[in-house]
Amino acid sequence: MIETLARHRWFARQAPSLRAALAAAARHRRLAAGQWVYGEGDETTGLVLILHGLLRLEASVGARHNVLVGVARAGSALGQAQRQGGGPRIVTARAGPASEVVTIADAALDHIGATVPQLWRAVSELVYVQLDASVHGLAQMLALPPRARIAARLLPFADDGVAPLTQADLAEMCGLSRKATHAHLIAIEAAGAIRRGYGAVHIRDASRLAWIAEAGGQ
């Protein structure tokens, strides 16, 4: 399992003793497209490390409506530990395309923490990264004009070269109508920053996309 996890960014930053303990407790899962990893409100928590693919993060709005609030790409880690004061799961996480993840349950984290206490620092850092992403995502929603908002959501995929998101996904994540999102994507494409594809957006010029995200491109 260590070989499988070695290329994961969060895992690779940990001390050798912690990596060994995490690998021993890890459970590898292959997910079909759309398959749940966990649901909002689940009492059982723990960590999820994404090896391949992408997880959709969805939050409920009212009793019957879920909205896409973000995505987690390969190399990302999610979750929390009950021992660190966490509560139930805040969002639902499910695979976008077919994906591979590794899960480490709360009980395993408690066991590891008893012998490798630096685990709790690593988990706290992970929770901080998730909080940072949530706050800056909210700031984008509040402060950026629509076109810049869309560009900002696409920019993290620049290194991959493609964002596996539909126009409907981007509309949900940016709080826009599909019609408005479509029009803005056409404009961003005309500026040479992206190329629209079926179920995905291809990043052609990351610097141009960054400029649109900062200046709004309008």
Side-chain angles (χ1 to χ4, degrees):
M1 182 63 76
I2 285 183
E3 293 77 11
T4 301
L5 286 168
R7 57 187 178 274
H8 190 279
R9 292 192 297 271
W10 180 82
F11 181 87
R13 290 197 299 269
Q14 309 311 319
S17 59
L18 181 53
R19 291 201 301 266
L22 290 168
R27 298 294 179 264
H28 182 251
R29 293 181 60 186
R30 297 181 186 273
L31 304 171
Q35 184 176 347
W36 278 28
V37 183
Y38 55 78
E40 179 180 350
D42 283 356
E43 296 288 343
T44 55
T45 59
L47 305 184
V48 179
L49 282 62
I50 306 162
L51 301 179
H52 298 289
L54 175 147
L55 297 186
R56 298 168 59 90
L57 308 178
E58 301 168 349
S60 60
V61 181
R64 299 184 178 180
H65 181 59
N66 281 0
V67 63
L68 181 67
V69 295
V71 294
R73 299 178 297 143
S76 301
L78 302 170
Q80 75 263 25
Q82 291 281 12
R83 177 166 175 165
Q84 295 300 97
R89 297 286 191 182
I90 298 170
V91 298
T92 293
R94 63 184 179 91
S99 302
E100 291 183 47
V101 301
V102 160
T103 60
I104 305 171
D106 255 332
L109 293 175
D110 284 344
H111 179 74
I112 294 169
T115 55
V116 191
Q118 60 262 46
L119 167 73
W120 303 121
R121 179 182 178 89
V123 172
S124 294
E125 290 173 349
L126 174 58
V127 172
Y128 175 83
V129 168
Q130 294 172 93
L131 177 61
D132 180 74
S134 297
V135 169
H136 283 88
L138 176 60
Q140 290 173 356
M141 289 286 288
L142 292 173
L144 295 180
R147 192 169 302 170
R149 212 180 300 163
I150 293 170
R153 285 293 194 174
L154 293 172
L155 196 56
F157 294 93
D159 290 342
D160 301 334
V162 60
L165 301 170
T166 66
Q167 292 187 22
D169 291 336
L170 285 167
E172 277 192 59
M173 292 169 67
C174 295
L176 302 170
S177 69
R178 294 188 187 186
K179 182 177 179 180
T181 300
H182 178 71
H184 286 300
L185 285 171
I186 289 175
I188 298 171
E189 184 175 52
I194 64 168
R195 177 175 60 82
R196 291 172 298 145
Y198 180 75
V201 177
H202 301 267
I203 314 300
R204 296 179 58 193
D205 187 331
S207 61
R208 171 64 62 172
L209 190 63
W211 178 83
I212 296 170
E214 291 175 4
Q218 301 180 76

